[in-house]
Amino acid sequence: MAWDIVHRGRKIQVGVERSVTADGQTIQRDFVLHPGAVAILPLVDAEHVCLLRNHRVIVNEVLWEVPAGTLEPGEAIEAAAIRELAEETGYQARHWRKLLEFYPSPGILSERTHLFVASELTAGTRHPEADEQLEPHIVPWSQALAWTRDGTIRDAKTLLALLWWQQQRLASGGGEPPG
């Protein structure tokens, strides 16, 4: 197996891998090397969540999403979560809990996303990056869940965050999940 980097971007690299199968056939795979990311489920209270309306140029749509962002070189995962929540929503959280790690698209992308829940939020000033077109909205929990069912929310990290947290809520009898 041999691979080459064919593009170095601001946050990612694009590579091409060439390998030979057992029957001697040469195959080529394209892939994206990504430094990793964080995603945050900001719980405003037990019945409200902060979601972002985020214009995504690549799909030319405005999507409902949880705050998220790419890890900076050498940045601790927890620090990235704190930074992204503040930049995109203005919120700071008193309580943080890491929920899980997942690969959004492991067939082509090396990104590992670290999902956190943030609670006991204090409002502050947002500082989005220059290329971000996002608007934070406080959404009732029941509405956010309805949006996971009716197709309003189509962003994978947001679907995972909301549905995973709801499963934990149900497992704990409807209140705040333990832990």
Side-chain angles (χ1 to χ4, degrees):
M1 174 172 74
W3 53 276
D4 296 306
I5 300 299
V6 296
H7 173 75
R8 294 181 192 279
R10 186 171 56 95
K11 293 185 178 184
I12 57 103
Q13 297 178 39
V14 178
V16 176
E17 172 202 28
R18 289 169 201 82
S19 59
V20 179
T21 63
D23 65 0
Q25 190 176 30
T26 300
I27 58 172
Q28 178 177 305
R29 290 185 187 94
D30 301 329
F31 59 89
V32 177
L33 295 172
H34 189 284
V38 294
I40 305 100
L41 179 62
L43 300 177
V44 177
D45 57 38
E47 296 306 321
H48 294 87
V49 61
C50 180
L51 297 178
L52 305 171
R53 288 191 39 86
N54 193 356
H55 180 256
R56 292 295 188 174
V57 174
I58 195 68
V59 294
N60 193 30
E61 291 187 38
V62 176
L63 302 176
W64 284 100
E65 300 183 21
V66 294
T70 303
L71 296 171
E72 298 293 339
E75 184 178 34
I77 294 164
E78 294 80 6
I82 292 166
R83 174 181 53 77
E84 286 295 337
L85 180 65
E87 282 179 5
E88 295 186 355
T89 69
Y91 284 120
Q92 293 187 18
R94 184 169 176 210
H95 291 288
W96 287 88
R97 179 174 156 207
K98 185 170 180 182
L99 301 179
L100 55 95
E101 299 174 12
F102 63 95
Y103 294 101
S105 187
I108 192 168
L109 178 64
S110 69
E111 176 184 343
R112 179 190 313 224
T113 302
H114 304 266
L115 177 61
F116 291 83
V117 63
S119 58
E120 293 193 33
L121 304 180
T122 303
T125 304
R126 295 183 325 116
H127 301 285
E129 293 183 32
D131 64 343
E132 292 179 322
Q133 300 176 41
L134 37 88
E135 305 165 13
H137 293 269
I138 306 303
V139 177
W141 185 256
S142 60
Q143 183 67 65
L145 286 180
W147 288 345
T148 68
R149 293 187 298 272
D150 71 12
T152 300
I153 294 177
R154 297 187 323 216
D155 172 64
K157 69 185 172 303
T158 304
L159 289 167
L160 178 61
L162 293 168
L163 296 173
W164 192 93
W165 191 253
Q166 177 65 9
Q167 186 63 35
Q168 298 306 303
R169 285 171 49 128
L170 294 173
S172 67
E176 174 96 4

